Structures are given as structure tokens and as C-alpha cells.
Amino acid sequence: MSNAGLSPLPSSDRPDVAARLRQALLGASFTADGLLELLGAPAYAALSRSETVPALRATRGDTPLELLVRLFLLQQPVPYARVADVLPVDACLESGWLVRAGGDEVAATVDVRPYGGPGGEDWFIVSDLGCAVGGAGGIGSRAEGVVLGVGGASTTLAGITVRTPVSSALDLGTGSGIQALHAARHATRVTATDVNPRALHITALTLALSGAPAADLREGSLFAPVPEGETYDLIVSNPPFVISPGARLTYRDGGMAGDDLCRTLVQEAGDRLNEGGFAQFLANWEHVEGEEWTDRLRSWVPRGCDAWIVQREVQDVTQYAELWLRDAGDHRGDVAEYQARYDAWLDEFEARKVKAVGFGWITLRRTGAAEPSVTVEEWPHPVEQPLGETVRAHFDRLDYLRARDDAALLEASFTLAGEIVQEQVGMPGAEDPEHVVLRQNRGMRRATKVDTVAAGFAGVCDGTMSAGRILDAIAQLLGEDPVLLRDRTPAQIRLLVEQGFLEPAG
């Protein structure tokens, strides 16, 4: 793996220097909140689009915070004498966090980006120079082994991860260490792996600079660094899921044909999970001519696991190729070379009869159930992050429904989940709506169409009456046969419970 063109990294064996540097950064308010206050919302948002000019304009003063933003986030050399007032500069030079630049200036060897933890923690994500701003937003030509900072995919995975306290967590393909850092909050033991040794080094720096416990760092691809029989309560991975011809960039290209890397990761995760444990991944998958994409994903799910797979986005093959060519900065280079790479991408898709590529979330949970549940759905609409608790509750509801036949369901009582609204859709002036929609304002923000019976049922669920008694009352009100109503309504109740509109009472 070539690291040509990448700067030498700070020592990962100097926790004392990392601790002193951390205190100095905090003392100057070099934090996520401090950054937002200094730059203002527009310049702060521009950073996520890989645009640094607004931030450079906002840091033309001489305060310690402005100095640190230019040094560690915007890759600008700054005067040694000024830095010496803010940082333990000689220790940072000795341990490799800084280098001399010209006669009287110093420059950073890595990017450091402030990141706010879910509990208000002040964390710092270390990455290669030019990679803190905008995540994978394009820094021009990249060395093969470059390690990126935090991008949208990283924060999405962190947000959907179930955060219950666990004994052990595994971060596969750790990159800059953001998932390992999150896991350290609620896992007694954290193991982080990566095929790129530079990523493991940077993960160690991220954890040390964030004041987090060290992780067990292992080099290797997928589950290769995990001995057979070693299992975990939580597995997370933001893998190199890009479907591309060849494996040019380690941080994103899996090096296997098509979507085989994601398939292999999912299929092999089942045997690595403890009972009740979760495995959560971001993934890409192919939409192949003559094949249902949902069937393709169902075939990935390992035996003994429940699964919830959500497709968030679909791109046709031209959009997909253009996205990742831009990500690599190829659009800025030689036109003929760009076109040749674009052509190679389309050749690959054509050979595999791929018409589009889907992106989304895959969650597995190890279960002892005789018939595991596999849900594959498309939900491209806005959601409310973090979703970890929503994901956990989804599987709890599966257990509840699996344990009850229709008769038991009618004996149970339910409550309407919080912040559910009802919408009635129909022609203006019509006496009755054409249909009724229940909509969530939290979590997945689902919407589901129901009939008047289900809408009326949901509206009176307050946990005081059984489902059967409510249906009997509705039958009397509508003049319907209560037996027939009891017979046809449990399927709708199950759907409303499964999707989180109704919650079991007690």
C-alpha cells in the first residue's frame, strides 16, 4: 500500500504529549462549539462542502483559537513564537505533531477536527492533511493509503448505532477511529481493525487526543484479524463499500467484484455476534437486471439473525460513477484520463448487468428464534438522528409480536406512540376522506395509510383497554360484525406495532 506523498505521523507512543496537547486545545476553546462561535454558521457549514475560504477569512485575527484553526484545520503555517504561547510547541515538534516550516513558522503534520460527542464530550478526530474538511469531499489527487476525517457516512453510522452498555465492541475498518471513539463510551472493551496500518496509527491518535481509553488495534481485512470463536456484543463498520473497477483508493474501494465486499461482511458477521448482539453497517448494493434488489439483500442475511435493511438512496450507474470520480478529484485532472476511467466504470457495470446502485443501512441482531425476521424496505425520506434507540426498539417490537398469536394480540393493550398525527386525504368538500394517513414526527418519521377502523383504533389506544374490547366497541359503533372485525384487524395492528405507531402497554 503506497503512502507516497503523505506526511510522517505523530508518535502514538507519547500519551503524555497527547494529553498536554488536548488540554491546550480545550484551553483555547478549540472545540466544536468554539469553532461554530468563531466562524459563524455559514463558514462552518462551508467546511463540510470542502470550502475553506470563508473560514480563512474568519481567522485573520491573532487569538489563540484563530491560530489553532489555521494550524490544525486549515493547514496553514503559523509563527513559532505565537504558537509557543498556546501549545507545548517543543514537545509537539519532538513527537511529530508539528514540523518546522521555513525559518520561524511551524505546520501541522495531521489535521485535527473538533467533534462534539453525544454526551457533550469534546473529542478530536485526527486525519491526514487535507482530509478534515468535508470528509470525503475531494482534496485532489490522493495517495492510496490516505486516511480521511469525519464525513456524512461516518456520522450516519454513529447515529444509527444501538448504544446500550456492552462488554465488547468491534469496529471493522476503523479509518480515523470515529466509530471506536463512540463505542468507547458504552463498551468495556473495544477492538478496531483496518487493512491500512496508517489508519490504525491515526485511530490511536484520535483516541488519545480525545481522552478516550486505548483500543485493541489489529491490522487486516474484514474479519481476518478476528480469531475464529471470538465474538462481540456490537459490530460496526463503515466499510470501503464503493463498487468500482479495481481498488485504487483504500479508504473507499473494497477490491472485490461488485458488491461482494459488503455481502461478505454481512454474511460473516453472524458467527461473530453474541446472542442478542447487533451488527450495523453502511453498504452499497447492485440493482441487477432481472433480479429484485430486495431478494439480493435477503440472500445476504446470515442464519440465526434478524435483519432490518433500509435503502436510503438509489443512483443510476452514470450518477454513481460521476460521484466517485469527483470524490477522487479525477474531474480536475486530464480529460482523456477522466473519460477513460468513466468508461471503465460503465464497462464494469454493463458486464455485470447492473442498472443502478443502492445505498443504505444494514442492521443484524443475533437471535435464538426459530424463524428470524428479515425486513427489507426503501425509505428515502428525512429521519431524525440519532436513531440508535429507534433501531433497538424495532427489534424489541419484533420479539413482542413473534411471541404472540392473534388471540394474544387482541388480549393485549397498547398506547399511541408520541408525536403521531393523523392526516385525512380526499377531495375538498367530500364528506368522507379517501384515505387516512398516520405520520410520525420522531425517529424514522414514517407515514402509513390506514382504514377508518385502524385510525379509530389507534386514536383510542391509551393502555386502559384491550385491543379486542376496543374493536368490539368500534364494531358496535359502525354496525359491523365484531367477530369479523376481530378476524381482519390483527394484521393492521401488527403493522402499526412493527412500525412504531403503537407501543405495547405495561
Side-chain angles (χ1 to χ4, degrees), residues 397 400-414 457 465-469 471 486 489-498 502 504:
R397 292 192 300 269
Y400 177 89
L401 293 171
R402 193 156 41 198
R404 287 162 178 80
D405 60 16
D406 286 356
L409 202 66
L410 292 174
E411 288 297 316
S413 56
F414 302 92
F457 176 88
M465 291 175 62
S466 70
R469 287 184 60 196
L471 289 179
R486 278 174 171 255
T489 308
Q492 287 196 75
I493 297 175
R494 285 186 183 277
L495 181 66
L496 291 174
V497 173
E498 181 182 338
L502 294 178

Side-chain angles (χ1 to χ4, degrees), residues 126-150:
V126 179
S127 61
D128 271 314
L129 289 174
C131 295
V133 171
I139 58 166
S141 179
R142 290 200 179 102
E144 180 188 346
V146 72
V147 180
L148 297 185
V150 179

Side-chain angles (χ1 to χ4, degrees), residues 37 102 105 175 186 241 314 374 382-383 402 441 454 463 480:
E37 185 175 345
E105 291 186 318
H186 62 104
F241 53 65
V314 181
V374 177
V383 298
R402 193 156 41 198
N441 284 323
E480 290 200 31

